[in-house]
Amino acid sequence: MRDTESREAEFAEFMVGRWPWLVRLAYALTGDWGDAEDLAQTAFTKALVSWPRLRRADDPDAYLRRILLNANHSRFRKRRVPETGAAPEEQAVTVSDGTAELDQRSVLVAALMELPPRQRAVVALRYWDGLTETQTAAILGCSAGTVRSQASRALAKLRMSPHLHDGSTSR
């Protein structure tokens, strides 16, 4: 009984320490805070089931990233029911709070959502989460060359994205 309580406390500490980081990574993959929190919660649920193996892993964060990426990939396999919103005249007007950081982040996420899932995962892991090519390749189960080519293609698409142009440059 005491051993179970000890494991539960250890997992709770692990989860609390990594929750903000995992939600930010999930947000880079989904572009929506609600979906990001759902995805992080799913990843932690799966991590809890595998906790004995996870805590013995050399890099539990890499294991958790892999769970998150697999859960995100599974989201696209499921048949999704489109959400219907209110008619345009009934929708609330969104007012910007004026902070440049939030505006830049939302513009960046909009551009990321235009990328294919694999390229988005590479960008999120390499540039959002700061992993090396080798670490990213290990998590995605591909070669470092594939990571380089996917990152190159993704960055080229992002450079051409209308979301990231303010009209001051012409291409």
Side-chain angles (χ1 to χ4, degrees), residues 45-63:
T45 300
K46 291 180 182 200
L48 177 60
V49 172
S50 305
W51 181 240
R53 185 177 22 186
L54 181 82
R55 73 180 191 187
R56 287 190 310 263
D58 290 337
D59 187 359
D61 290 338
Y63 196 96

Side-chain angles (χ1 to χ4, degrees), residues 4-5 12 20 55 62 72 89 92 103 113 146-147 150 153 156-157 159 165:
T4 303
E5 291 173 2
R55 73 180 191 187
N72 184 52
E89 60 272 4
D103 291 341
M113 293 306 106
T146 300
V147 170
Q150 291 291 308
R153 289 182 186 128
K157 284 182 183 180
R159 284 184 199 106
H165 293 276

Side-chain angles (χ1 to χ4, degrees), residues 8-98:
E8 287 176 2
E10 187 179 9
F11 181 78
E13 183 179 330
F14 174 79
M15 188 180 112
V16 167
R18 282 155 179 85
W19 177 260
W21 157 75
L22 198 64
V23 171
R24 283 191 306 271
L25 180 57
Y27 178 68
L29 295 170
T30 64
D32 179 85
W33 284 111
D35 288 343
E37 288 178 347
D38 289 347
L39 192 57
Q41 191 171 27
T42 299
F44 277 119
T45 300
K46 291 180 182 200
L48 177 60
V49 172
S50 305
W51 181 240
R53 185 177 22 186
L54 181 82
R55 73 180 191 187
R56 287 190 310 263
D58 290 337
D59 187 359
D61 290 338
Y63 196 96
L64 192 57
R65 274 188 208 98
R66 184 75 241 167
I67 293 171
L68 181 80
L69 290 168
N70 287 341
N72 184 52
H73 188 67
S74 295
R75 286 180 342 123
F76 294 106
R77 290 184 189 152
K78 294 178 184 173
R79 178 175 242 183
R80 295 183 61 103
V81 177
E83 295 181 19
T84 56
E89 60 272 4
E90 295 176 18
Q91 291 179 349
V93 176
T94 304
V95 178
S96 175
D97 65 355

Side-chain angles (χ1 to χ4, degrees), residues 131-146:
L131 298 180
T132 66
E133 288 174 355
T134 306
Q135 292 169 322
T136 302
I139 290 168
L140 295 176
C142 63
S143 70
T146 300

